[in-house]
Amino acid sequence: MNWHPLTSVEQLDEIIEESKNTPVVIFKHSTACSISSTAKSRLERQWQGAGLDHIKPYYLDLISYRPVSNEVAELLQVRHQSPQVLLVQDGVCTYNASHLGISVDAIKKQTAA
């Protein structure tokens, strides 16, 4: 899984625009939380060979970039959680999940719909 760092609010606008051409996943990760580390590891393992190469994954360290995390929640109209995965397609969040409910299969189903 080739993570792309999400570190600025300005970048978020570009990502939402990018999602109009290709699906985008934003993974909000708390580096201080063991559940977040477990969810990230599971996501990375399941992503390999899942046929999701057409989805661009972004990684947001929400402790280092809390204002960006807050803007993600506001702009995409989703309640902040950590860890959290958001699938953005055509400029809107079409799927979100948190904690151990994060599922590569669910992401795959949403992009096939």
Side-chain angles (χ1 to χ4, degrees):
M1 186 168 206
N2 185 22
W3 290 115
H4 300 273
L6 171 52
T7 59
S8 73
V9 171
E10 296 77 21
Q11 187 184 8
L12 182 57
D13 292 333
E14 294 169 12
I15 291 168
I16 290 174
E17 199 56 37
E18 178 182 20
S19 77
K20 295 176 181 176
N21 297 314
T22 185
V24 170
V25 159
I26 298 172
F27 180 73
K28 294 168 63 174
H29 177 55
S30 170
T31 55
C33 174
S34 62
I35 292 173
S36 192
S37 294
T38 298
K40 180 178 177 280
S41 177
R42 276 182 47 189
L43 181 64
E44 290 171 338
R45 281 193 319 269
Q46 292 174 2
W47 194 274
Q48 301 300 82
L52 299 176
D53 295 338
H54 64 291
I55 300 174
K56 189 169 181 180
Y58 285 89
Y59 170 88
L60 173 58
D61 175 344
L62 59 90
I63 292 177
S64 296
Y65 302 102
R66 175 61 87 178
V68 179
S69 178
N70 292 340
E71 186 67 17
V72 166
E74 186 174 323
L75 202 58
L76 296 175
Q77 301 179 332
V78 293
R79 186 172 148 253
H80 164 77
Q81 296 190 61
S82 167
Q84 185 175 38
V85 69
L86 307 167
L87 174 63
V88 185
Q89 300 178 99
D90 296 320
V92 296
C93 181
T94 57
Y95 168 80
N96 78 83
S98 66
H99 297 82
L100 299 180
I102 295 170
S103 164
V104 167
D105 287 341
I107 294 169
K108 193 172 184 174
K109 285 177 187 170
Q110 286 296 319
T111 59

